[in-house]
Amino acid sequence: MLTIRFAGAEDAEAIEAARAASWRAGYAGLLPQAVIDDLTGPDEVERRRRWPEANPHGRMLLAEVDGVPAGMAAFGPERRPRGTSAPSRVELYSLYVAPEFWSDGVGRALLERVVDESRASGYDRLVLWVLDTNTRARRFYARAGLTETAREETELRGHVVTHLRCERDLTRPPRVSGDPGREDT
């Protein structure tokens, strides 16, 4: 049975277990292995533990299937574009699902919960950034009604990557594309 709940510092190990498994599987071949290893290493559990304190306006969700960590999502006030923020925009900072739960609806359920919580908090627009070479995630977000609106090159541990900005209006139902019965994340 899938459950989704708000997570805190005490959930750091569970959050990182799902996030790291997703990173290792999802970014294999898209990022250098050294970057993947660095960003899924032992220091990451402590980063997850400190996240609530470092992001007081952010929220983190933990998805579990029969008590097993299956995925996580972190969201809060928009951080970009750099130097500005729109108080009506919420940013999905991250959404990761452990690969053994891909295509089981966990990602969709996490995203729907983020949307519901964001609407309830008064946000009218959802934004996120996705790696341009991550076609699986891009399909998932497109099927959830997000559209690409910008492109930005950034540096990630010495490796230049391109991120795509995606947005969705939260004031109306999404225009969903693709097969509604297929989950990509």
Side-chain angles (χ1 to χ4, degrees):
M1 172 171 25
L2 173 64
T3 59
I4 298 176
R5 63 178 173 81
F6 284 107
E10 68 280 4
D11 297 304
E13 290 86 3
I15 291 165
E16 185 53 25
R19 191 197 73 83
S22 182
W23 253 81
R24 287 190 289 273
Y27 292 127
L30 303 180
L31 293 172
Q33 190 60 46
V35 172
I36 295 170
D37 291 345
D38 186 38
L39 293 173
T40 59
D43 295 340
E44 293 303 307
V45 171
E46 188 56 33
R47 285 187 55 182
R48 298 304 146 236
R49 192 177 327 282
R50 291 190 320 260
W51 194 89
E53 183 180 319
N55 299 279
H57 301 293
R59 305 296 302 264
M60 190 171 299
L61 298 171
L62 174 62
E64 296 172 309
V65 174
D66 297 325
V68 176
M72 59 78 63
F75 62 102
E78 181 185 26
R79 299 175 294 184
R80 297 185 192 196
R82 288 191 171 91
T84 65
S85 75
S88 62
R89 292 185 180 156
V90 64
E91 182 174 346
L92 178 60
Y93 306 137
S94 60
L95 188 152
Y96 293 104
V97 175
E100 61 268 29
F101 299 103
W102 287 354
S103 301
D104 287 348
V106 174
R108 183 180 320 115
L110 276 167
L111 185 57
E112 287 173 6
R113 178 73 181 269
V114 167
V115 167
D116 291 345
E117 295 292 338
S118 298
R119 280 186 181 135
S121 295
Y123 292 107
D124 62 15
R125 194 149 195 86
L126 173 70
V127 300
L128 61 87
W129 292 85
V130 62
L131 190 65
D132 72 333
T133 55
N134 191 342
T135 55
R136 181 181 190 88
R138 289 175 62 191
R139 282 192 313 263
F140 170 77
Y141 291 125
R143 286 186 176 132
L146 285 109
T147 57
E148 296 172 9
T149 60
R151 172 180 297 264
E152 179 181 290
E153 283 191 358
T154 58
E155 183 270 332
L156 181 62
R157 299 292 203 269
H159 183 72
V160 176
V161 297
T162 302
H163 284 105
L164 303 173
R165 179 185 172 96
C166 299
E167 299 186 33
R168 176 176 156 188
D169 184 344
L170 298 180
T171 63
R172 9 179 249 244
R175 288 183 300 132
V176 180
S177 64
D179 178 1
R182 174 128 166 87
E183 174 79 11
D184 282 321
T185 295

